[in-house]
């Protein structure tokens, strides 16, 4: 390891503890700008293109896509990309593979925080928090024994689409709510599911049987818009759909129609497409959807742990060791 090796950190808000992991061994170059929102598409794009030539590693802090233009600017010096995220659909995986560039992500460390947000979304949709918060802000409350009634989790069937780290953490946190049964679906049955008392079923069976459906799957060609008009039609009229995966798992036009026409009871979304969701988006006109601004991993501890894992992956990659959490070795 050598200070001659340069590491580029793509955003100006990367935790200092992770910067120290890198700067103890390498020369660290940090963008002056945020790699989120409008700046990611404008000033930071130009900044990264200027800074990346000669860099051996790129720490990616964003769900904005890594472009071929950026990789071309990096040239042959780039050996590893460490994305500070569990998902990596934004990382141009095929392009990195073709160039022989290693890729790591940060799974598992964010599972507890994302699971907490999933539970919040379930409760928000089940107890009609969007509608009820609007009452508070207006100062006009619907008061009565049969007003503003929500749904119980007690005795319900909860279906998890993707029993990875986040899905398992959701099941563990919901166990105390006296859920009747847990279902899950995926490519295969998992021993972890049996240990949690969750039953492996087909996607169709899960959609037809569940009162709450939690999407915790990665975005792939197979899962893109897996929730669409056809699959929404399989759900129960009291079903609540929660998405903590990626916005494009859901056809939002079809979801809007299902919610608007009360084909399902409600939805809770921490991820949307696009992000941010425009203020005039039609989903925001509905009372039966509870939307958060992609804050699943947004706790001090979790973001620090994600950043430090990304930093340690870079250290291992540039010292010729196996990655801690490899996507491409």
């Amino acid at each position: 390891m050598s200070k001659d090796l340069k590491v580029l950190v793509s955003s100006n808000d990367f935790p200092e503890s992770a910067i120290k992991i890198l700067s103890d061994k390498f020369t660290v170059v940090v963008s002056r700008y945020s790699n989120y929102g409008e700046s990611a598409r404008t000033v930071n794009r130009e900044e990264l293109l200027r800074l990346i030539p000669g860099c051996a590693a790129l720490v990616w802090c964003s769900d904005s896509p890594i472009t071929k233009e950026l990789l071309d600017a990096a040239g042959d010096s780039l050996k590893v990309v460490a994305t500070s995220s569990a998902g990596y659909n934004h990382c141009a995986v095929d392009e990195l593979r073709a160039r022989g560039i290693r890729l790591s992500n940060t799974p598992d460390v964010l599972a507890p925080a994302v699971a907490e947000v999933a539970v919040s979304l379930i409760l928000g949709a089940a107890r009609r928090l969007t509608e009820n918060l609007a009452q508070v802000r207006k100062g006009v409350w619907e008061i009565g024994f049969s007003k503003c009634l929500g749904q119980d989790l007690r005795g319900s069937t909860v279906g998890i689409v993707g029993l990875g780290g986040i899905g398992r953490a959701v099941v563990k946190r919901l166990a105390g709510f006296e859920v009747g049964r847990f279902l899950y679906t995926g490519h295969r049955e998992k021993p972890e599911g049996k240990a949690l008392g969750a039953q492996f079923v087909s996607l169709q069976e899960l959609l037809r049987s569940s009162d709450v459906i939690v999407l915790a799957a990665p975005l792939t060609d197979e899962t893109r818009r897996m929730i669409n008009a056809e699959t929404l039609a399989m759900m129960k009229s009291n079903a609540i759909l929660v998405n903590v995966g990626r916005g494009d798992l859901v056809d939002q036009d079809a979801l809007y129609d299902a919610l608007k026409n009360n084909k399902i009871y409600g939805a809770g979304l921490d991820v949307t497409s696009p992000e941010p969701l425009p203020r005039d988006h039609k989903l925001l006109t509905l009372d039966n959807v509870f939307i958060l601004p992609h804050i699943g991993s947004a706790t001090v501890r979790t973001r620090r742990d994600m950043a430090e894992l990304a930093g340690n992956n870079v250290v291992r990659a540039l010292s010729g060791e196996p990655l801690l959490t490899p996507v491409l070795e």
Side-chain angles (χ1 to χ4, degrees), residues 268-288:
L269 310 175
D270 186 43
V271 288
T272 60
S273 182
E275 293 178 356
L277 201 62
R279 287 184 295 174
D280 61 352
H281 195 281
K282 58 188 177 181
L283 277 174
L284 297 175
T285 67
L286 301 175
D287 288 332
N288 56 344

Side-chain angles (χ1 to χ4, degrees), residues 135-315:
Q135 290 190 55
V136 174
R137 293 190 176 105
K138 291 175 183 175
V140 181
W141 296 14
E142 290 189 30
I143 299 172
F145 193 71
S146 298
K147 299 289 186 181
C148 298
L149 302 185
Q151 293 192 169
D152 289 290
L153 278 177
R154 178 182 51 178
S156 66
T157 296
V158 175
I160 310 291
V161 180
L163 197 72
I166 293 170
R168 295 193 299 272
V170 171
V171 172
K172 290 175 183 176
R173 280 151 183 77
L174 287 178
F177 286 84
E178 301 176 35
V179 168
R181 62 174 178 152
F182 291 102
L183 307 177
Y184 75 97
T185 192
H187 287 130
R188 64 187 183 282
E189 189 170 2
K190 295 185 174 182
E192 298 94 332
K194 186 170 291 186
L196 290 169
Q199 179 185 353
F200 179 70
V201 296
S202 68
L203 175 62
Q204 292 73 21
E205 176 62 22
L206 184 146
L207 296 176
R208 293 188 181 104
S209 301
S210 297
D211 302 298
V212 177
I213 297 154
V214 179
L215 304 180
L219 179 63
T220 65
D221 290 342
E222 179 184 4
T223 62
R224 188 178 301 275
R225 297 201 170 189
M226 66 188 305
I227 301 301
N228 50 49
E230 181 181 355
T231 50
L232 283 161
M234 298 178 186
M235 297 180 192
K236 298 162 72 171
S237 60
N238 70 309
I240 294 169
L241 176 71
V242 167
N243 188 6
V244 291
R246 285 289 184 266
D248 282 329
L249 296 176
V250 177
D251 179 338
Q252 289 180 171
D253 289 334
L255 176 61
Y256 171 83
D257 290 341
L259 292 168
K260 176 73 172 177
N261 296 307
N262 297 312
K263 298 298 184 183
I264 64 172
Y265 181 83
L269 310 175
D270 186 43
V271 288
T272 60
S273 182
E275 293 178 356
L277 201 62
R279 287 184 295 174
D280 61 352
H281 195 281
K282 58 188 177 181
L283 277 174
L284 297 175
T285 67
L286 301 175
D287 288 332
N288 56 344
V289 59
F290 186 60
I291 302 177
L292 295 174
H294 202 157
I295 59 168
S297 65
T299 70
V300 173
R301 176 179 175 176
T302 299
R303 290 285 170 86
R304 183 191 66 228
D305 289 349
M306 292 167 67
E308 291 177 2
L309 177 54
N312 282 314
N313 271 313
V314 168
V315 171

Side-chain angles (χ1 to χ4, degrees), residues 86-120:
Y88 48 86
N89 56 289
H90 56 289
C91 290
V93 175
D94 290 342
E95 192 70 34
L96 293 177
R97 182 183 290 111
R99 296 169 186 248
I101 298 171
R102 301 165 81 182
L103 172 64
S104 68
N105 65 339
T106 59
D108 298 331
V109 293
L110 51 70
V114 176
E116 289 170 6
V117 164
V119 173
S120 300

Side-chain angles (χ1 to χ4, degrees), residues 58 78-82 96-97 99-104 313 316-324 326-329:
L58 171 63
L78 189 63
K79 304 304 180 188
V80 63
V81 172
L96 293 177
R97 182 183 290 111
R99 296 169 186 248
I101 298 171
R102 301 165 81 182
L103 172 64
S104 68
N313 271 313
R316 291 179 71 90
L318 296 186
S319 59
E321 298 177 18
L323 297 170
L324 294 168
V327 177
L328 296 175
E329 272 285 21

